[in-house]
Amino acid sequence: MIKTICLTCTIFCFLSLFAQDSIIKTGSNINIQDARLVLDHHNKVRKEVGTKPLIWSAKLAAYAQEWANHLATENNCRMAHRKNPGQDEKLYGENIFWGSDGKYFKPLDASEEWYTEIKMYKYSQITEKNWEPTSHYTQMIWKDTKEIGVGVAICPNGGIIIVANYYPAGNYMRQYPF
């Protein structure tokens, strides 16, 4: 009886630890600790509105990293969303953050900044009128989104670009985010 309980306890403890550290490899330049902080923040925000938690995707993080690198090195550290109106925009949502100092700003700062748009959001369908001031926040909480990945790049001038990609994308016109 005692051996069975101890074995069960050991298995439970192992599975609990594995579940907590499900980000084993981020897939991008973001470190595991920062990835966990961003994922936890997103899931806290999603819980506030009753949407299911996101999981980390190394594939999305690699995709986000590719774009963060492009913006940092080939776009003079200026924010811009991917221009491809095809598959990328249909499959992945995207939030972008720029900070003037890569030593000061961290990936969690991006997530917290996107969340500040909650002040401007009143529960309603997404429209051309409310999309612009709230789209980062509504992408964070979008009911159908299941995965997130984040890429981080330091610019030649010392600034930082943080790109988050989401699957599936959110922010569809005339739909409610949750």
Side-chain angles (χ1 to χ4, degrees), residues 72-131:
T73 59
E74 298 174 36
N75 202 47
N76 201 26
C77 204
R78 289 187 310 246
M79 294 190 304
H81 287 284
R82 293 180 192 256
K83 301 251 186 269
N84 184 349
Q87 145 178 342
D88 296 339
E89 286 188 18
K90 290 180 183 172
L91 287 179
Y92 305 135
E94 185 172 73
N95 282 346
I96 302 174
F97 173 89
W98 171 85
S100 59
D101 186 346
K103 293 179 183 171
Y104 177 79
F105 290 103
K106 304 296 178 209
L108 182 59
D109 294 316
S111 187
E112 290 173 341
E113 180 64 26
W114 299 325
Y115 178 67
T116 65
E117 293 178 1
I118 190 174
K119 296 179 287 193
M120 296 172 274
Y121 181 71
K122 304 290 183 246
Y123 185 71
S124 62
Q125 293 178 342
I126 302 298
T127 66
E128 290 79 10
K129 189 174 183 176
N130 68 8
W131 179 86

Side-chain angles (χ1 to χ4, degrees), residues 5-79:
I5 292 171
C6 289
L7 179 60
T8 304
C9 181
T10 303
I11 291 170
F12 176 75
C13 290
F14 174 77
L15 292 175
S16 295
L17 287 172
F18 181 74
Q20 290 173 356
D21 287 328
S22 59
I23 304 173
I24 296 169
K25 187 173 180 186
T26 65
S28 69
N29 288 348
I30 192 172
N31 66 49
I32 291 172
Q33 180 182 1
D34 284 339
R36 170 59 54 202
L37 290 171
V38 170
L39 180 63
D40 289 348
H41 183 254
H42 271 69
N43 286 336
K44 177 184 168 218
V45 169
R46 292 173 67 80
K47 187 175 182 179
E48 290 174 0
V49 297
T51 54
K52 293 180 181 176
L54 299 176
I55 61 168
W56 187 265
S57 167
K59 176 183 172 185
L60 279 178
Y63 184 78
Q65 186 63 52
E66 177 187 312
W67 192 242
N69 290 344
H70 167 79
L71 294 176
T73 59
E74 298 174 36
N75 202 47
N76 201 26
C77 204
R78 289 187 310 246
M79 294 190 304

Side-chain angles (χ1 to χ4, degrees), residues 126-145:
I126 302 298
T127 66
E128 290 79 10
K129 189 174 183 176
N130 68 8
W131 179 86
E132 181 70 33
T134 63
S135 61
H136 298 101
Y137 168 69
T138 53
Q139 176 57 78
M140 290 176 76
I141 62 166
W142 198 262
K143 63 186 175 243
D144 297 326
T145 299

Side-chain angles (χ1 to χ4, degrees), residues 154-173:
I154 301 298
C155 303
N157 66 4
I160 189 169
I161 293 280
I162 300 165
V163 176
N165 283 117
Y166 302 85
Y167 176 79
N171 286 330
Y172 289 101
M173 294 295 159

